[in-house]
C-alpha cells in the first residue's frame, strides 16, 4: 500500500532500520524488522548508502522481504549523489520487482569522491522518479531547524517547495529535540506554500556522545531540558540511555496529541526502543495494542 494513502486516513506510526554492514548477514536486519513487526507499524523504512558503497546492496532485498514475508509496507531509501540515471532506474526496477512501491528520495551526504553526476539535488531525483516511475509513492526529507547547508531559512523552505513541485507525496522530518521547533516548522511550511503531509521523525538519544554527534551532523539543537537530563544521568551509560528513551516517548506523546500527520521512530536497529515507543503511545490511547 502507498504511504500517501495511509497518511490520508490516519496518524501513522513507523520505524526505521538500517541494513547490515560488513560481514553481518541480511538475515540479521530482517530479524530486527521481524521483531518490530509485532508492534504493527504502518511502515518500516530501510536506509541506503549513496554511490553504491556501504550497505546499499542490502536495501532492496530487505525492503522486499519486509513487504513479502512480514506483510508490512516497506519504505526504501534512495540517495542520488554519485549515481547516474541508469543506476537509479536499475535500483527502482529491483524494488518494483520485489513488490516495493514506496521510496524516500534523498540527495545523500557529500563526501570525498562522491560528486553529482546526473542529480545535484533531491528535487532532481524526485522529478526523474516521477517521470520514469509514475507508480511510485515518493517521500522526501525535511529539516525542522533548516538544512545545515542552507544559508538562509527562505532557501531551506524553497528547497522543500521544489521537492513538492517535482512530485513528492509527503515529507519525513530529520530528528529534533524540541517539539516547538517542529510546530513552528509546520506553520512556516504553509506560509511557504509547502502543503504536503509531514511525518515527525524522533530519535531517542542513548548517550552523550551520540547526541553530540547527531547535533553536529544533523544541525539539531540540544535544548537545556535535554542537557539537564543528561547531567542527572551522570556517567552511567544505562542511565543516559534510559533518560533518552524516556524523553523520546514524551516527545511522541506530545506530537500525537498535537495532531501531527505521522510519527516516525529512528530506532537504531533496536527492537526494544521500538517496543517502548509503541507502548508509550498505546498507554495514552494514541495507538491500539
Amino acid at each position: 500500500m502507498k504511504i500517501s494513502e495511509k497518511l490520508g486516513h490516519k496518524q501513522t506510526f513507523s520505524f526505521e532500520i538500517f541494513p547490515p554492514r560488513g560481514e553481518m548477514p541480511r538475515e540479521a536486519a530482517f530479524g530486527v524488522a521481524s521483531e518490530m513487526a509485532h508492534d504493527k507499524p504502518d511502515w518500516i523504512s530501510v536506509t541506503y548508502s549513496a554511490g553504491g558503497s556501504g550497505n546499499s546492496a542490502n536495501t532492496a532485498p530487505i525492503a522486499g522481504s519486509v513487504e513479502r514475508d512480514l506483510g508490512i509496507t516497506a519504505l526504501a531509501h534512495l540517495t542520488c549523489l554519485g549515481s547516474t540515471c541508469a543506476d537509479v532506474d536499475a535500483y527502482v526496477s529491483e524494488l518494483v520487482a520485489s513488490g516495493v512501491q514506496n521510496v524516500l528520495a534523498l540527495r545523500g551526504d557529500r563526501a570525498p569522491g562522491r560528486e553529482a553526476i546526473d542529480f545535484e539535488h533531491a528535487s532532481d531525483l524526485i522529478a526523474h522518479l516521477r517521470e520514469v516511475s509514475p507508480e511510485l509513492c515518493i517521500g522526501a526529507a525535511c529539516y525542522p531547524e533548516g538544512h545545515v547547508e542552507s544559508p538562509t531559512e527562505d532557501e531551506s523552505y524553497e528547497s522543500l517547495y521544489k521537492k513538492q513541485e517535482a512530485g513528492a507525496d509527503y515529507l519525513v522530518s530529520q530528528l529534533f529535540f524540541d517539539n516547538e521547533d517542529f510546530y513552528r516548522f509546520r506553520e512556516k511550511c504553509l506560509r511557504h506554500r509547502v502543503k504536503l503531509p509531514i511525518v515527525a521523525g524522533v530519535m531517542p538519544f542513548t548517550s552523550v556522545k551520540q547526541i553530540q554527534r547527531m547535533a553536529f551532523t544533523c544541525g539539531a539543537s540540544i535544548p537545556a531540558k535535554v542537557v539537564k537530563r543528561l547531567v542527572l544521568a551522570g556517567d552511567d551509560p544505562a542511565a543516559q540511555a534510559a533518560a533518552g528513551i524516556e524523553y523520546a516517548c514524551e516527545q511522541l506523546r506530545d506530537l500525537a496529541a498535537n495532531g501531527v500527520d505521522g510519527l516516525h521512530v529512528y530506532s537504531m536497529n533496536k527492537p526494544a526502543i521500538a517496543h517502548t515507543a509503541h507502548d508509550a503511545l498505546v498507554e495514552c490511547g494514541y495507538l491500539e495494542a
Side-chain angles (χ1 to χ4, degrees):
M1 184 176 181
K2 293 183 177 181
I3 290 173
S4 57
E5 296 173 357
K6 294 174 182 282
L7 285 167
H9 291 89
K10 61 178 295 189
Q11 184 179 72
T12 61
F13 179 67
S14 53
F15 301 126
E16 177 183 283
I17 65 171
F18 50 86
R21 299 177 184 272
E23 298 301 318
M24 184 179 180
R26 292 174 181 172
E27 288 76 12
F30 182 72
V32 170
S34 298
E35 285 290 318
M36 294 180 179
H38 293 305
D39 292 324
K40 301 177 183 178
D42 290 291
W43 74 83
I44 294 175
S45 70
V46 186
T47 64
Y48 182 93
S49 289
S53 63
N55 56 11
S56 56
N58 290 314
T59 303
I62 293 171
S65 293
V66 169
E67 285 272 358
R68 179 180 60 255
D69 301 321
L70 297 179
I72 301 289
T73 297
L75 171 61
H77 290 212
L78 170 58
T79 59
C80 62
L81 203 62
S83 296
T84 65
C85 288
D87 294 332
V88 167
D89 293 347
Y91 175 75
V92 170
S93 294
E94 184 179 2
L95 289 177
V96 173
S98 300
V100 178
Q101 55 183 335
N102 296 282
V103 172
L104 187 66
L106 308 164
R107 186 199 68 184
D109 297 330
R110 297 190 186 278
R114 186 184 297 164
E115 306 296 336
I117 301 176
D118 289 336
F119 308 98
E120 178 68 34
H121 304 287
S123 55
D124 301 326
L125 173 61
I126 293 167
H128 177 77
L129 292 173
R130 184 56 69 209
E131 179 181 359
V132 301
S133 303
E135 74 280 6
L136 287 178
C137 176
I138 304 172
C142 62
Y143 305 83
E145 297 180 73
H147 194 283
V148 292
E149 294 181 19
S150 293
T152 67
E153 183 178 90
D154 284 345
E155 286 193 37
S156 187
Y157 285 101
E158 183 62 27
S159 295
L160 289 180
Y161 182 73
K162 288 179 179 178
K163 293 177 183 180
Q164 173 182 276
E165 297 306 289
D169 294 300
Y170 62 94
L171 301 171
V172 180
S173 88
Q174 185 54 272
L175 62 93
F176 54 91
F177 296 111
D178 190 334
N179 286 2
E180 293 303 319
D181 289 330
F182 182 84
Y183 300 141
R184 284 191 292 270
F185 168 74
R186 186 170 58 172
E187 293 175 2
K188 288 181 179 180
C189 277
L190 294 176
R191 294 204 295 268
H192 286 80
R193 304 170 295 163
V194 178
K195 301 178 181 180
L196 297 174
I198 307 173
V199 176
V202 172
M203 179 182 283
F205 60 86
T206 56
S207 70
V208 173
K209 288 184 178 179
Q210 183 211 27
I211 197 171
Q212 290 173 335
R213 183 174 63 253
M214 291 190 297
F216 181 80
T217 58
C218 304
S221 58
I222 305 175
K225 55 188 174 182
V226 171
V227 175
K228 290 178 180 178
R229 296 201 186 199
L230 287 170
V231 170
L232 289 173
D235 296 327
D236 181 6
Q240 291 179 9
I245 294 169
E246 179 184 14
Y247 183 80
C249 288
E250 291 174 11
Q251 279 191 276
L252 290 166
R253 286 191 289 262
D254 181 73
L255 290 163
N258 279 277
V260 301
D261 296 309
L263 301 162
H264 188 62
V265 181
Y266 296 109
S267 47
M268 298 170 288
N269 281 15
K270 297 179 180 179
I273 289 178
H275 296 329
T276 301
H278 170 267
D279 292 348
L281 291 170
V282 168
E283 290 171 4
C284 294
Y286 296 116
L287 287 178
E288 294 183 1

